[in-house]
Amino acid sequence: MLVPQERRALVLLLLVFGLVAGGAALLEVLGPAPFAVPFSPDLPDGTLAVVRGPVDQVIVADGGHLICRVGGVRVFMPASTVPDPAPVTGGIVECYGLVSTYGGVRELVLRQAGDLRRVDQE
């Protein structure tokens, strides 16, 4: 049997756990959209950004990585984040990722496959 102080501590722990689990579930449901800013070459590296537009170019790099040009912005998809089906030239997509500089070129790097959404199929 628990004494009153232990019951209160247990209730507080369960409330904190519920609050953290609820917050994590809410963030998962919301996705990256509310937190992303439109891509701009002036954004600092590591900023969560979004770009939406037609896929102008798709290059398959070594290791299964994809490099796409979406609305004039270079988008890098590591092999682990390439969605199935992969984007094709002419499709309209929306990409969420982190701004990065590679070889002096600003690009958007996807973090997971769900960060690329095909808009032309909505």
Side-chain angles (χ1 to χ4, degrees), residues 12-22:
L12 284 174
L13 283 173
L14 290 174
L15 285 174
V16 168
F17 175 76
L19 185 64
V20 169

mmCIF file of all heavy atoms in Angstrom, residues 12-22:
data_model
loop_
_atom_site.group_PDB
_atom_site.id
_atom_site.type_symbol
_atom_site.label_atom_id
_atom_site.label_comp_id
_atom_site.label_asym_id
_atom_site.label_seq_id
_atom_site.Cartn_x
_atom_site.Cartn_y
_atom_site.Cartn_z
ATOM 1 N N LEU A 12 1.687 12.547 -10.063
ATOM 2 C CA LEU A 12 2.452 13.584 -10.769
ATOM 3 C C LEU A 12 3.302 12.975 -11.887
ATOM 4 O O LEU A 12 3.364 13.521 -12.994
ATOM 5 C CB LEU A 12 3.336 14.358 -9.800
ATOM 6 C CG LEU A 12 2.620 15.389 -8.927
ATOM 7 C CD1 LEU A 12 3.584 15.980 -7.914
ATOM 8 C CD2 LEU A 12 2.035 16.475 -9.795
ATOM 9 N N LEU A 13 3.942 11.857 -11.616
ATOM 10 C CA LEU A 13 4.743 11.191 -12.643
ATOM 11 C C LEU A 13 3.878 10.752 -13.825
ATOM 12 O O LEU A 13 4.253 10.916 -14.989
ATOM 13 C CB LEU A 13 5.474 9.985 -12.060
ATOM 14 C CG LEU A 13 6.706 10.290 -11.224
ATOM 15 C CD1 LEU A 13 7.231 9.021 -10.566
ATOM 16 C CD2 LEU A 13 7.783 10.903 -12.087
ATOM 17 N N LEU A 14 2.701 10.202 -13.537
ATOM 18 C CA LEU A 14 1.802 9.786 -14.613
ATOM 19 C C LEU A 14 1.288 10.983 -15.406
ATOM 20 O O LEU A 14 1.156 10.913 -16.630
ATOM 21 C CB LEU A 14 0.637 8.977 -14.046
ATOM 22 C CG LEU A 14 1.000 7.593 -13.508
ATOM 23 C CD1 LEU A 14 -0.206 6.928 -12.842
ATOM 24 C CD2 LEU A 14 1.563 6.716 -14.610
ATOM 25 N N LEU A 15 1.016 12.099 -14.735
ATOM 26 C CA LEU A 15 0.575 13.310 -15.437
ATOM 27 C C LEU A 15 1.679 13.849 -16.352
ATOM 28 O O LEU A 15 1.414 14.229 -17.494
ATOM 29 C CB LEU A 15 0.140 14.384 -14.437
ATOM 30 C CG LEU A 15 -1.210 14.170 -13.765
ATOM 31 C CD1 LEU A 15 -1.442 15.226 -12.687
ATOM 32 C CD2 LEU A 15 -2.322 14.198 -14.784
ATOM 33 N N VAL A 16 2.897 13.884 -15.847
ATOM 34 C CA VAL A 16 4.020 14.356 -16.664
ATOM 35 C C VAL A 16 4.227 13.427 -17.857
ATOM 36 O O VAL A 16 4.416 13.881 -18.990
ATOM 37 C CB VAL A 16 5.309 14.470 -15.816
ATOM 38 C CG1 VAL A 16 6.525 14.679 -16.689
ATOM 39 C CG2 VAL A 16 5.167 15.607 -14.812
ATOM 40 N N PHE A 17 4.172 12.120 -17.618
ATOM 41 C CA PHE A 17 4.306 11.163 -18.710
ATOM 42 C C PHE A 17 3.212 11.371 -19.752
ATOM 43 O O PHE A 17 3.465 11.380 -20.956
ATOM 44 C CB PHE A 17 4.268 9.723 -18.184
ATOM 45 C CG PHE A 17 4.280 8.706 -19.281
ATOM 46 C CD1 PHE A 17 5.447 8.419 -19.960
ATOM 47 C CD2 PHE A 17 3.114 8.049 -19.654
ATOM 48 C CE1 PHE A 17 5.467 7.487 -20.983
ATOM 49 C CE2 PHE A 17 3.122 7.128 -20.678
ATOM 50 C CZ PHE A 17 4.297 6.838 -21.353
ATOM 51 N N GLY A 18 1.977 11.535 -19.310
ATOM 52 C CA GLY A 18 0.857 11.771 -20.234
ATOM 53 C C GLY A 18 1.032 13.054 -21.023
ATOM 54 O O GLY A 18 0.738 13.104 -22.219
ATOM 55 N N LEU A 19 1.505 14.095 -20.368
ATOM 56 C CA LEU A 19 1.730 15.376 -21.042
ATOM 57 C C LEU A 19 2.819 15.255 -22.104
ATOM 58 O O LEU A 19 2.644 15.726 -23.235
ATOM 59 C CB LEU A 19 2.114 16.441 -20.009
ATOM 60 C CG LEU A 19 2.278 17.862 -20.514
ATOM 61 C CD1 LEU A 19 0.946 18.379 -21.041
ATOM 62 C CD2 LEU A 19 2.782 18.756 -19.410
ATOM 63 N N VAL A 20 3.919 14.599 -21.773
ATOM 64 C CA VAL A 20 5.013 14.422 -22.733
ATOM 65 C C VAL A 20 4.561 13.537 -23.896
ATOM 66 O O VAL A 20 4.823 13.837 -25.062
ATOM 67 C CB VAL A 20 6.264 13.844 -22.034
ATOM 68 C CG1 VAL A 20 7.311 13.412 -23.039
ATOM 69 C CG2 VAL A 20 6.842 14.863 -21.067
ATOM 70 N N ALA A 21 3.869 12.435 -23.605
ATOM 71 C CA ALA A 21 3.388 11.539 -24.667
ATOM 72 C C ALA A 21 2.373 12.257 -25.552
ATOM 73 O O ALA A 21 2.403 12.124 -26.780
ATOM 74 C CB ALA A 21 2.773 10.283 -24.055
ATOM 75 N N GLY A 22 1.485 13.030 -24.966
ATOM 76 C CA GLY A 22 0.509 13.791 -25.743
ATOM 77 C C GLY A 22 1.178 14.836 -26.627
ATOM 78 O O GLY A 22 0.801 15.019 -27.787
#
